[in-house]
Amino acid sequence: MTSKEAIAALRAQLRGELIDPEHPGYDEARRVYNAMIDRYPRLIARCANVADVIASVNFARENELLLAVRSGGHNGGGLGTCDNGLVIDLSRMKGIRVDATARSVRVEGGCTWGDVDHATHAFGLACPSGIISTTGVGGLSLGGGTGYLSRRFGLTIDSLLGADMVLADGSLVTVGPDENADLYWAIRGGGGNFGVVTSFLFRLHPVKTVIAGPTVWPIERTADVLRWYREFLPAQPREMYGFFTLFEIPPIPLFPDALHGNKMCGVVWCYSGPREKAEAAFAPVRAFGPPAHHVTLELPYPALQSFFDPLYPTGHQWYWRGDFVDELSDQAIAQHALHGQVPTPQSTMHLYPIDGAVHDVPPGDTPFSYRKSKWSQVIVGVDPDPAKKALVADWCKRYHDALHPHGAGGAYVNFMMDEGQERVQATYRDSYQRLVAIKRNVDPDNLFRVNQNIRP
Ligand SMILES: Cc1cc2nc3c(=O)[nH]c(=O)nc-3n(C[C@H](O)[C@H](O)[C@H](O)COP(=O)(O)OP(=O)(O)OC[C@H]3O[C@@H](n4cnc5c(N)ncnc54)[C@H](O)[C@@H]3O)c2cc1C
């Protein structure tokens, strides 16, 4: 049991806040994005700086407290919090410094991707990330990071130049290609297993505006559209990106009123090439089908990044399952056609392309082991109503059970719930033993274990 004196001493040491169950902000502070996760930490250290992180890591180790680390709190399995332990909440650590000349950005561990996009867009630069701007930089980057710019510039980790991190013994280290290279390798996909990353250094790319929008077809055409999509997209230049989705049309002006509430299949595009070539790039898309609706708009990149944020506010019930997919077989397509009717308006299935520049990096260069897969698939059951928990979870599991035999074996580590050690090992494949060896070196007692755990 942690003594009152020890807690008071930690509180006195922090520039940030130490929140306990008696604190009026405790309920707000313990909440994470997925409302299915309802945990009661003993303490939440809302760190203001690196010194606070060091003090908190030392406190957890010395007092044998379970330790969770939170950046954006978006993790589906709730790995940004824990019961009865200490949560290091990085959300106050939002420092960002763009170096426009070097085309890089230094980002503190509590930033969301919206924070980063806002800062870099002012210079006409962007870092590849995900598709929702409220997602934390920490969790997304440490797992890999796939999104609208993946085909062109690779995963988020392929733009990671280095990081500062606090290890289990409380020491601060800088990692990069020439410094602590093993740790630099491990954090590019190995999750939060190795320490608290207090800041990331990313390479930036020249992206200002993009031409983006959805094309949708009736759900009965799912099999035809998927057969077309699996051939079409990989043959396109890397500037062309489009994730396939099965979903219900939301009641927003982007779609005609007549389609609102219809279950459909579609592709959400992001073309980041020269404007004058966009018309030709989209010509085959408009011709296929023909679609029920096709619209593209020229948007500032941060506007696309935050486009779907209002549809997915914090506090909904989330249940998801992922798989990497090498080839979309006819059998897999038949299962999508069978199971892809979403049970609630926000539930969806996405196939994120991970070909193009993602394939340029050899599989062993980072722990992200599915460099030859073409897609990262996720089935997501979502609803605001807690009474629909079982409905969305059951649909997700049933759909996943049908698709999993057609996948590549593992899943993107950031699309996993609590699915057991076998699934974690299947995700890292040949990289797993190297990750274990590094973990033994820096965290032999597994202080950092509230994650998809690499067991020392
Ligand atoms: C709406 C939504 C959309 C998404 N879209 C995408 C997408 O387009 N592409 C994609 O790749 N993923 C996507 N994801 C998945 C996302 O990458 C994961 O949920 C990820 O874990 C979220 O990161 P976070 O920092 O917000 O999470 P948190 O819950 O804060 O943390 C997740 C895990 O990372 C660890 N961690 C976080 N920060 C640090 C740090 N600084 N140091 C050490 N460990 C840390 C935590 O300990 C925990 O284990 C999406 C998720 C949601 C909910």
Side-chain angles (χ1 to χ4, degrees):
M1 190 65 193
T2 315
S3 71
K4 279 190 175 155
E5 293 73 27
I7 293 172
L10 177 64
R11 182 168 281 126
Q13 210 178 339
L14 300 182
R15 283 287 164 104
E17 256 182 312
L18 189 63
I19 299 167
D20 60 18
E22 282 77 52
H23 189 286
Y26 177 76
D27 265 332
E28 184 275 322
R30 71 181 183 84
R31 212 178 311 134
V32 289
Y33 182 81
N34 181 359
M36 267 193 210
I37 310 293
D38 186 25
R39 307 230 160 100
Y40 290 82
R42 171 78 186 80
L43 293 166
I44 300 164
R46 202 165 260 170
C47 296
N49 53 34
V50 174
D52 282 3
V53 175
I54 292 173
S56 304
V57 167
N58 287 338
F59 182 86
R61 189 189 61 250
E62 287 160 7
N63 291 280
E64 295 177 4
L65 274 180
L66 185 62
L67 176 64
V69 180
R70 185 192 309 163
S71 171
H74 262 218
N75 188 270
L79 296 173
T81 185
C82 61
D83 278 325
N84 297 320
L86 171 70
V87 174
I88 292 185
D89 174 355
L90 299 170
S91 63
R92 267 187 69 172
M93 291 178 59
K94 287 202 179 280
I96 301 184
R97 185 177 188 278
V98 178
D99 182 336
T101 313
R103 284 199 178 159
S104 66
V105 63
R106 170 72 66 181
V107 175
E108 276 196 310
C111 291
T112 63
W113 281 106
D115 300 327
V116 179
D117 294 332
H118 169 75
T120 61
H121 185 67
F123 302 92
L125 299 168
C127 183
S129 62
I131 63 157
I132 297 273
S133 85
T134 52
T135 307
V137 168
L140 181 136
S141 304
L142 294 169
T146 80
Y148 291 117
L149 301 176
S150 299
R151 295 191 77 235
R152 186 156 172 215
F153 299 118
L155 302 171
T156 305
I157 49 172
D158 301 334
S159 291
L160 182 62
L161 300 170
D164 283 348
M165 54 196 293
V166 176
L167 305 184
D169 64 2
S171 60
L172 177 83
V173 296
T174 296
V175 308
D178 305 317
E179 217 175 341
N180 296 302
D182 258 9
L183 271 174
Y184 174 58
W185 177 83
I187 63 165
R188 285 178 295 153
N193 274 283
F194 305 94
V196 185
V197 176
T198 51
S199 74
F200 297 84
L201 180 66
F202 293 108
R203 181 186 299 120
L204 295 174
H205 308 272
V207 176
K208 182 90 182 164
T209 62
V210 292
I211 295 167
T215 310
V216 298
W217 296 266
I219 198 159
E220 297 74 28
R221 307 235 22 224
T222 295
D224 290 346
V225 176
L226 267 174
R227 277 193 293 266
W228 166 79
Y229 171 76
R230 76 178 168 192
E231 304 301 326
F232 173 76
L233 190 73
Q236 301 312 300
R238 293 172 176 198
E239 293 82 15
M240 187 69 159
Y241 175 95
F243 72 81
F244 179 87
T245 174
L246 288 160
F247 73 132
E248 183 174 312
I249 304 283
I252 57 174
L254 187 68
F255 297 99
D257 290 357
L259 293 184
H260 292 176
N262 287 7
K263 293 181 183 15
M264 302 196 87
C265 65
V267 179
V268 177
W269 306 100
C270 170
Y271 175 79
S272 60
R275 183 185 292 143
E276 60 280 6
K277 293 193 179 165
E279 182 66 22
F282 284 108
V285 176
R286 283 194 307 271
F288 179 77
H293 182 60
H294 168 84
V295 58
T296 55
L297 308 162
E298 183 164 3
L299 296 170
Y301 178 68
L304 173 63
Q305 285 288 90
S306 52
F307 200 89
F308 296 109
D309 291 3
L311 293 176
Y312 292 106
T314 193
H316 287 2
Q317 318 289 313
W318 280 70
Y319 197 93
W320 60 18
R321 283 268 189 276
D323 265 316
F324 287 118
V325 178
D326 289 348
E327 296 293 340
L328 269 171
S329 65
D330 287 344
Q331 294 93 321
I333 288 176
Q335 294 302 325
H336 282 297
L338 198 63
H339 294 276
Q341 302 258 356
V342 295
T344 60
Q346 283 137 309
S347 297
T348 184
M349 191 288 297
H350 289 175
L351 277 165
Y352 298 113
I354 47 167
D355 59 336
V358 179
H359 287 196
D360 291 348
V361 179
D365 280 16
T366 68
F368 190 97
S369 299
Y370 284 80
R371 293 280 183 174
K372 295 295 163 224
S373 292
K374 285 195 187 139
W375 323 95
S376 172
Q377 170 185 293
V378 68
I379 300 162
V380 205
V382 189
D383 200 79
D385 182 359
K388 299 221 173 113
K389 242 190 236 186
L391 175 76
V392 295
D394 291 349
W395 168 77
C396 176
K397 287 184 208 161
R398 221 172 29 248
Y399 192 169
H400 177 259
D401 287 349
L403 261 300
H404 183 65
H406 306 286
Y412 177 34
V413 73
N414 277 340
F415 290 155
M416 279 164 55
M417 306 288 280
D418 184 4
E419 297 174 38
Q421 203 60 23
E422 253 176 52
R423 285 276 278 166
V424 178
Q425 293 196 26
T427 283
Y428 292 115
R429 296 202 283 204
D430 299 347
S431 298
Y432 189 75
Q433 285 313 321
R434 185 171 170 195
L435 288 167
V436 170
I438 297 169
K439 178 84 171 169
R440 279 190 190 137
N441 254 339
V442 295
D443 187 16
D445 298 327
N446 210 3
L447 181 67
F448 298 108
R449 63 180 176 278
V450 182
N451 43 44
Q452 300 298 349
N453 197 225
I454 311 289
R455 295 196 180 149

